[in-house]
Amino acid sequence: MIHSKKMMIIAIAMSVLLGGCAMETKEEAAQRLQTKPGAGGESVNTEQSSAGKLTSVQFYVPSEKTNSLSVIDVVSSKVVGKIPLAEAPSTVIFSSTMREAYAANMNSSTVSFINTQTLKVTKEVPVGPMPHGMVLSPDNKMLYVAAVADQFIYLVDTKEGKEAGTIDLGAGAKTNYLVLFGDKLYVSDHENHKVYVVNVKTKQLQQTIPTGKVPRAIKVSDDGKKLYVPSAGDNTLEIYDTADGKQFSKISVAPGATDVVVTEDGLTAIVTSMEGNAVSFVDLPSGKVIKSLTGLSGARHISFNRQQSKAYVTLSGSDEVVVIDTVKQEVVEHIKVGAQPHGIQLKALPGIGGSC
């Protein structure tokens, strides 16, 4: 009997932990975060340290013009923390434990190592000119960094906190966005209109896939069989077979296709278009846009919440993050952040923040 009671208590405790912010209302979140209005209409936490709780479900958003990173609480949709960074931060990624984050600073040609509990930069690591896209190895030991202004992928040893070599893609190559699947590193080249496929074990170029004009934030399907390429110059979302590089389909979207997310069932893609100030919902089986959300100034990067019920998009033209209800396919919230927000990434431990 005593054993059964103990097991019941443990089960209840685990359900509360794993339910995370799903069990918390906006009012409760606001009280927990002790928010108050800040400059420029932002909500700033009076005790920033509370924003560093490991179990907090948040989005990190780097802003190029303010050289800072905004921490957004998912439940309250409030900016609860700010992290000063080097010049023109573009993208940010997390380690699998969510204890560390890494931000690429384009104008400083560095990568910032960030402690997500203290919300402080612990190290600045020099890399190539204008670092942009980044991806981290599954064991968290190696960071791959694309430098927009040259032909190399820079390797950063996260334990030693220093550059650990480069991967040369050849004279004239340009590196932009990265995605890693198994041993294959996919690299978009926005100037030469192609995607490079590199074996990270041998550091050798395996394949080159010609794409539409100005490929940007590429993605790979969960099974690794499809490569999704938003091509800004052709205003298209292109889908390729990763086995042989052949094109499956080419779908017209709003001008300046920038980034893409794909639902777990593989049926719907959501594409941002920076120059077109729009977000397109694409039905992948039919290859058609089923709805476009317009008037979204400089719609740049996009990230799902854990349940894919909401998509968060940075608007570099209006200094906001918009929240899109993916079921209703409409904008439901605007969150003011730093000037010219660029990338966006979710911080949530496995099992935490299920329905946020």
Side-chain angles (χ1 to χ4, degrees):
M1 185 69 176
I2 294 175
H3 178 72
S4 298
K5 286 183 177 180
K6 284 184 178 180
M7 291 301 294
M8 185 177 294
I9 291 170
I10 291 172
I12 293 171
M14 286 301 293
S15 68
V16 171
L17 175 62
L18 298 181
C21 58
M23 302 181 67
E24 188 176 29
T25 65
K26 283 183 175 292
E27 291 75 18
E28 290 169 339
Q31 185 176 7
R32 167 175 60 83
L33 297 167
Q34 299 177 348
T35 55
K36 67 176 183 178
E42 297 177 18
S43 293
V44 181
N45 191 357
T46 56
E47 294 183 19
Q48 176 150 316
S49 60
S50 67
K53 290 181 179 178
L54 194 59
T55 53
S56 296
V57 184
Q58 303 159 337
F59 279 99
Y60 274 32
V61 180
S63 296
E64 290 182 38
K65 293 295 184 182
T66 55
N67 301 328
S68 65
L69 186 149
S70 299
V71 180
I72 299 172
D73 181 75
V74 170
V75 182
S76 66
S77 294
K78 302 292 186 182
V79 176
V80 297
K82 284 273 189 169
I83 304 172
L85 294 175
E87 292 184 60
S90 56
T91 55
V92 62
I93 60 174
F94 293 97
S95 67
S96 61
T97 65
M98 302 295 163
R99 295 178 183 275
E100 297 84 25
Y102 306 93
N105 306 302
M106 292 189 294
N107 291 355
S108 295
S109 296
T110 62
V111 173
S112 297
F113 284 40
I114 302 165
N115 182 313
T116 61
Q117 290 84 70
T118 63
L119 302 188
K120 293 184 182 299
V121 173
T122 59
K123 187 179 285 290
E124 291 283 338
V125 179
V127 289
M130 297 193 71
H132 196 203
M134 297 185 295
V135 68
L136 189 62
S137 63
D139 61 8
N140 299 315
K141 293 180 179 179
M142 190 64 67
L143 184 66
Y144 300 90
V145 184
V148 175
D150 72 13
Q151 68 198 52
F152 300 99
I153 300 298
Y154 291 83
L155 281 57
V156 176
D157 184 317
T158 58
K159 184 177 180 180
E160 297 294 329
K162 63 181 182 181
E163 186 187 315
T166 59
I167 298 174
D168 188 353
L169 295 179
K174 299 293 181 184
T175 64
N176 196 0
Y177 289 99
L178 307 171
V179 62
L180 181 64
F181 189 91
D183 294 335
K184 291 184 177 181
L185 180 67
Y186 297 83
V187 187
S188 64
D189 184 332
H190 57 294
E191 290 192 14
N192 297 298
H193 320 307
K194 58 186 67 174
V195 170
Y196 305 107
V197 185
V198 177
N199 185 304
V200 292
K201 287 187 175 180
T202 64
K203 300 180 183 178
Q204 297 297 311
L205 180 64
Q206 281 189 334
Q207 185 182 14
T208 300
I209 303 173
T211 67
K213 296 176 182 177
V214 195
R216 284 179 170 166
I218 55 177
K219 299 290 171 61
V220 172
S221 60
D222 290 342
D223 61 8
K225 295 181 179 180
K226 293 180 180 179
L227 174 69
Y228 299 92
V229 182
S231 293
D234 286 343
N235 310 324
T236 56
L237 172 65
E238 299 166 6
I239 306 172
Y240 294 87
D241 187 335
T242 57
D244 57 16
K246 292 182 179 179
Q247 189 178 94
F248 282 128
S249 58
K250 187 174 185 177
I251 304 165
S252 295
V253 294
T258 303
D259 198 357
V260 60
V261 289
V262 179
T263 55
E264 288 181 355
D265 58 16
L267 299 178
T268 306
I270 308 175
V271 184
T272 61
S273 295
M274 187 165 64
E275 288 81 5
N277 304 317
V279 171
S280 304
F281 283 80
V282 178
D283 178 70
L284 291 173
S286 68
K288 294 181 179 180
V289 172
I290 53 179
K291 187 168 184 179
S292 290
L293 305 179
T294 58
L296 302 177
S297 184
R300 204 163 196 170
H301 289 290
I302 183 169
S303 186
F304 275 135
N305 66 345
R306 293 292 287 273
Q307 290 293 330
Q308 300 188 348
S309 59
K310 292 180 180 179
Y312 292 71
V313 178
T314 53
L315 304 186
S316 58
S318 62
D319 308 335
E320 296 174 304
V321 169
V322 291
V323 185
I324 297 173
D325 184 315
T326 60
V327 177
K328 296 179 180 178
Q329 298 181 353
E330 62 184 36
V331 174
V332 293
E333 285 184 281
H334 290 253
I335 305 168
K336 200 72 176 178
V337 291
Q340 201 169 318
H342 196 130
I344 182 167
Q345 284 292 326
L346 175 69
K347 179 180 82 72
L349 289 170
I352 298 296
S355 63
C356 294

